[in-house]
Amino acid sequence: MDHLQKPIGILGGTFDPVHFGHLRTALELHQALELAEVRLIPCYQPVHRKLPVASPKDRLAMVRCAIEGETALVVDDCEIQRKGPSYTIDTLETLRKQLPSTPLCLIMGIDALLGFPSWNRWEDILTLAHLVIAHRPQYQLPQTGVVANLLKQRLKNNPLALQETLAGNILLHPVTPLEISATDIRKQIASGRCPRFLLPDSVYRYIQQHGVYSISHI
C-alpha cells in the first residue's frame, strides 16, 4: 500500500446544541491519537433519534462558533448540504473519494457501539473507517453477541493501528467523562436558567441572539 496520510477523526451528531462533552472528547482524541484533525459533522436528519429542535442552519452555525480558534477541530457541512436522512455510510463514502490515502477514524461512544449492528450497511462502514470508541469506565462491554464478536476480531490496543491501514480496526480510548446533556441544556434555556460552563460562551451568545431554544421550541 502507498504511504498513508495522517488519520483524521470524524465526530457526527445532532449537536443540538454542541457542548463541552462533544468538544473535549474531540480534542482529547485528536491529541492522544495524533490525528491530523477531527471533523465535526452535524447531521441534517438523524436516523436513530427524533428530529433536532434547532434547524440545520443554526446547529451548523453553533458548531462553527464553538470551534473558532481551535485548529485541531474542523466543521464539515457535507450532511447538511446533502439533506435527507443522514446515513454515516454515505458520508464515509464521500470522504473516502476525497481522501483516498487517509485513514478515517469514526468516533463514537460505547452506547453507539452497542447499537452499531442496527446502522445502515454497518459492515461496509468498517471497510471505509476505523472505529474509535470514546470509553467511559462505567460502561461494560458485551461478552456475547455481534458486538462482542466484532471486538474479538478487530479490537487493537495500540493507536498506531489507526495509522497502518485505511480502515477496519476498533480502538477503545478513555476520555474525560463529562456527563452533559443537550436535552438538559435546552430545558434550562427554555426555562430562563443560565447554561454557562456546559457549553462555550460563543454558542450561548448565538442561542440568545437567535432565540434558538425559546420556550415555544421545546
Side-chain angles (χ1 to χ4, degrees):
M1 184 177 287
D2 294 336
H3 178 69
L4 298 182
Q5 301 296 314
K6 210 171 179 183
I8 68 167
I10 299 155
L11 180 60
T14 53
F15 302 120
D16 190 26
V18 63
H19 56 64
F20 286 134
H22 305 127
L23 299 166
R24 187 64 208 168
T25 292
L27 189 61
E28 286 186 10
L29 291 175
H30 171 268
Q31 294 172 338
L33 305 181
E34 299 183 10
L35 303 176
E37 65 188 30
V38 175
R39 294 194 183 191
L40 277 67
I41 306 182
C43 73
Y44 180 78
Q45 180 182 323
V47 179
H48 291 283
R49 57 197 302 176
K50 64 183 181 181
L51 288 175
V53 175
S55 69
K57 175 187 170 187
D58 282 332
R59 291 183 289 108
L60 179 64
M62 288 188 284
V63 175
R64 285 193 169 128
C65 288
I67 67 170
E68 189 172 1
E70 179 45 71
T71 57
L73 308 182
V74 177
V75 63
D76 188 327
D77 66 355
C78 65
E79 293 188 356
I80 287 175
Q81 293 291 341
R82 193 168 67 231
K83 301 189 175 176
S86 298
Y87 289 107
T88 299
I89 186 69
D90 296 335
T91 300
L92 291 175
E93 286 180 334
T94 299
L95 288 171
R96 176 52 67 224
K97 287 174 186 170
Q98 295 170 354
L99 303 164
S101 60
T102 300
L104 305 176
C105 300
L106 181 63
I107 298 167
M108 64 175 73
I110 293 254
D111 50 348
L113 174 66
L114 297 178
F116 184 60
S118 69
W119 290 26
N120 186 44
R121 293 173 55 201
W122 67 272
E123 291 172 296
D124 291 340
I125 287 174
L126 285 159
T127 69
L128 296 167
H130 303 297
L131 302 186
V132 172
I133 312 304
H135 186 38
R136 293 173 173 84
Q138 69 269 31
Y139 281 89
Q140 294 298 313
L141 294 173
Q143 301 301 309
T144 59
V146 176
V147 172
N149 290 336
L150 202 58
L151 291 169
K152 285 173 190 166
Q153 295 164 10
R154 298 178 179 267
L155 187 63
K156 304 293 182 183
N157 295 318
N158 191 336
L160 287 175
L162 305 178
Q163 302 179 24
E164 293 167 350
T165 58
L166 287 171
N169 294 322
I170 300 176
L171 185 81
L172 294 176
H173 199 281
V175 294
T176 301
L178 298 176
E179 298 299 328
I180 300 173
S181 162
T183 302
D184 288 345
I185 290 173
R186 296 195 301 269
K187 287 178 179 175
Q188 286 191 35
I189 293 168
S191 64
R193 288 178 289 149
C194 177
R196 197 174 181 204
F197 307 128
L198 295 174
L199 73 175
D201 286 347
S202 59
V203 176
Y204 186 38
R205 281 195 298 272
Y206 181 93
I207 289 168
Q208 290 177 301
Q209 288 166 5
H210 295 83
V212 179
Y213 300 117
S214 62
I215 192 67
S216 61
H217 291 162
I218 305 299

